[in-house]
Amino acid sequence: MRTAYQEQLQRLNTILGDMCELAGAAMSRATRALLQADLALAEGVIADHDRMNALATQAEEQAFAVLALQAPVAGDLRGVVSAFQIVGDVDRMGALALHVAKVARRRHPAKALPEEVNGYFAEMGRLAIALAHNAREVLNSLDHEAAARLQEDDDAMDDLHRHLFTVLMDRDWDHGVAAAVDVTLLGRYYERFADHAVMVGRRVFFQATGKLPEQFEDAS
Amino acid sequence: MRTAYQEQLQRLNTILGDMCELAGAAMSRATRALLQADLALAEGVIADHDRMNALATQAEEQAFAVLALQAPVAGDLRGVVSAFQIVGDVDRMGALALHVAKVARRRHPAKALPEEVNGYFAEMGRLAIALAHNAREVLNSLDHEAAARLQEDDDAMDDLHRHLFTVLMDRDWDHGVAAAVDVTLLGRYYERFADHAVMVGRRVFFQATGKLPEQFEDAS
């Protein structure tokens, strides 16, 4: 039988999962805005950012309610505290999608990206959206193996990010410094988005097992 | 008379303050390593980073002890939860100092920075160190007015960061794309370091007043 504590924690994780989905949807639209120089899409991401703040407040209130009403101890207490940390991570994912949208808006009607790096950003966008989606899934399932797998998508993101730098550093780069600065910052936004999704996975792993992935391997 | 809760919270804030001082010291050495292409200093920052992780673990354990032993309610509960969030912020400040040191190491024996931006980074380093120091001070004093003033140093950092971009975007920039990429990322590391210090100030403000700075002004 599920305890009242478990039910409240599940409700909390549902809100956190909704935040992840919102961050993923924002990154999806921001990436299209970036690739297609679509001002309306960029403006939409910027206008909708308040919804993320509202969900973050709701998640924190729910977490305080669990702490205050259930007075969890030991592992349960750590689970609730990790929820506050997840709010911080997902909030940041939303802020990074917002940054991408703002670059697209700033460069409109021009495209921020030179044609030759479009493919990198299309793929980094795809990975970011998948990571946000998978973060939501594991928040709902508390499946610790799936939570640990978020690291693999992040490894793919890191690879892309490294390749992007080799394109930038190539002597044939003829798009100037301004485009290089945009590409550098945009690459960093996607990479950090993925890092935060991985952190969500690590915290869910901890909620589910009481250990971090590397401690779990040590112990098994 | 101070309660056991207040004493434990003060002990917790002392550890958080030590983390801030460590982050500031790391940024101080990383900045010198960057400006002078000093490999030993850069290696020192990288080798010492484990101390930050150790302090972060210690702070989280102390925060769990306060939660478990004192079972604080309402405002007190929010104060302890904010301590976990401060751990996250200061931990990130340490990671950003580490990033700066790694750029210095990667470019050694060359200097990562073209001469003309040295002054910007010397000043951004000074501001970052001041912010880390002031974050420690307010963690110890719980002086909410001093905590709100961290925002002012961050405004100075944002100004510098904006000016740095005008130098990069200038048609006279003749240091190539690779140096522009380094300067872009390094500028971002200092700016984010400052943002996290401001977040510490906001959370201390909240611990001291039960409100965020903007809510406090609304109410007064």
Side-chain angles (χ1 to χ4, degrees):
Chain A
M1 205 189 82
R2 280 157 63 96
T3 63
Y5 164 78
Q6 285 167 327
E7 274 173 24
Q8 290 213 349
L9 194 64
Q10 188 54 56
R11 199 173 313 154
L12 173 53
N13 273 8
T14 301
I15 305 172
L16 296 173
D18 290 347
M19 287 181 70
C20 287
E21 202 65 20
L22 199 60
M27 200 49 138
S28 170
R29 289 191 294 160
T31 302
R32 279 184 290 143
L34 183 69
L35 292 172
Q36 298 157 18
D38 186 325
L39 184 62
L41 270 176
E43 296 279 14
V45 173
I46 295 161
D48 283 356
H49 189 63
D50 285 347
R51 288 175 56 203
M52 181 63 94
N53 295 332
L55 271 183
T57 302
Q58 199 186 328
E60 289 196 349
E61 293 309 316
Q62 174 68 15
F64 277 118
V66 181
L67 274 183
L69 296 176
Q70 305 295 335
V73 292
D76 287 353
L77 182 58
R78 285 169 193 264
V80 183
V81 167
S82 76
F84 285 100
Q85 295 168 324
I86 291 172
V87 171
D89 282 310
V90 188
D91 199 50
R92 194 70 207 142
M93 288 162 69
L96 290 160
L98 181 67
H99 286 350
V100 172
K102 284 185 173 175
V103 175
R105 183 172 70 173
R106 194 179 310 136
R107 299 297 172 232
H108 180 84
K111 290 186 178 175
L113 297 175
E115 193 71 29
E116 73 184 287
V117 295
N118 273 351
Y120 288 89
F121 281 91
E123 182 63 10
M124 289 198 291
R126 193 191 64 72
L127 282 171
I129 297 159
L131 276 159
H133 180 76
N134 293 342
R136 179 193 205 160
E137 293 288 303
V138 300
L139 277 162
N140 286 327
S141 68
L142 292 184
D143 175 341
H144 73 275
E145 290 178 359
R149 276 198 300 275
L150 268 78
Q151 181 66 57
E152 294 167 23
D153 280 336
D154 184 48
D155 291 343
M157 179 71 89
D158 287 343
D159 275 349
L160 273 168
H161 193 228
R162 253 191 306 276
H163 281 142
L164 183 63
F165 276 94
T166 65
V167 176
L168 272 176
M169 297 300 183
D170 196 295
R171 284 173 191 284
D172 293 338
W173 178 266
D174 56 4
H175 310 289
V177 167
V181 169
D182 276 350
V183 168
T184 301
L185 287 177
L186 286 164
R188 177 117 187 118
Y189 300 152
Y190 284 88
E191 188 221 356
R192 293 294 301 154
F193 186 101
D195 287 343
H196 285 288
V198 170
M199 282 306 297
V200 173
R202 288 171 62 82
R203 299 191 203 282
V204 170
F205 192 100
F206 186 86
Q207 285 185 339
T209 67
K211 290 186 164 61
L212 290 172
E214 55 274 19
Q215 295 167 332
F216 194 79
E217 284 164 22
D218 289 349
S220 63
Chain B
M1 202 188 84
R2 281 156 63 95
T3 62
Y5 165 77
Q6 285 168 327
E7 275 173 23
Q8 291 211 350
L9 194 63
Q10 187 54 57
R11 200 173 312 153
L12 172 53
N13 273 7
T14 301
I15 304 172
L16 297 172
D18 290 348
M19 286 180 72
C20 287
E21 203 65 21
L22 200 59
M27 200 47 137
S28 170
R29 288 191 294 160
T31 302
R32 278 184 290 144
L34 183 70
L35 293 172
Q36 297 156 20
D38 185 324
L39 184 62
L41 271 176
E43 296 278 16
V45 173
I46 295 161
D48 283 357
H49 189 63
D50 285 347
R51 288 174 56 205
M52 181 64 93
N53 295 333
L55 271 182
T57 303
Q58 199 185 327
E60 289 195 348
E61 291 310 316
Q62 174 66 17
F64 277 118
V66 181
L67 275 183
L69 297 175
Q70 305 295 336
V73 292
D76 287 354
L77 181 58
R78 285 168 194 264
V80 183
V81 167
S82 75
F84 285 100
Q85 296 167 323
I86 292 173
V87 171
D89 282 309
V90 188
D91 199 48
R92 194 71 207 140
M93 288 163 68
L96 290 160
L98 181 68
H99 286 352
V100 172
K102 284 184 173 174
V103 174
R105 182 173 69 174
R106 194 178 311 134
R107 298 298 171 230
H108 180 85
K111 290 187 178 176
L113 297 176
E115 192 71 28
E116 72 184 288
V117 296
N118 273 351
Y120 288 89
F121 282 91
E123 183 62 12
M124 289 199 291
R126 194 191 64 74
L127 283 171
I129 297 158
L131 276 159
H133 179 76
N134 293 342
R136 179 193 205 159
E137 293 289 302
V138 300
L139 277 161
N140 285 327
S141 68
L142 291 185
D143 176 341
H144 72 276
E145 291 178 359
R149 275 200 299 276
L150 268 76
Q151 182 66 56
E152 294 168 22
D153 281 336
D154 184 49
D155 291 344
M157 181 71 89
D158 287 343
D159 275 349
L160 274 167
H161 193 228
R162 254 192 306 277
H163 280 143
L164 183 64
F165 276 94
T166 65
V167 175
L168 272 176
M169 298 300 183
D170 195 295
R171 285 172 191 283
D172 293 337
W173 178 268
D174 56 3
H175 309 288
V177 166
V181 168
D182 275 350
V183 168
T184 300
L185 287 176
L186 287 164
R188 177 119 186 116
Y189 300 153
Y190 283 89
E191 188 220 355
R192 292 294 302 154
F193 185 101
D195 288 344
H196 285 289
V198 170
M199 283 305 298
V200 173
R202 288 172 62 84
R203 299 192 203 281
V204 170
F205 193 100
F206 186 85
Q207 285 185 338
T209 69
K211 293 185 162 59
L212 290 172
E214 55 274 20
Q215 296 167 330
F216 194 78
E217 284 164 22
D218 289 348
S220 63

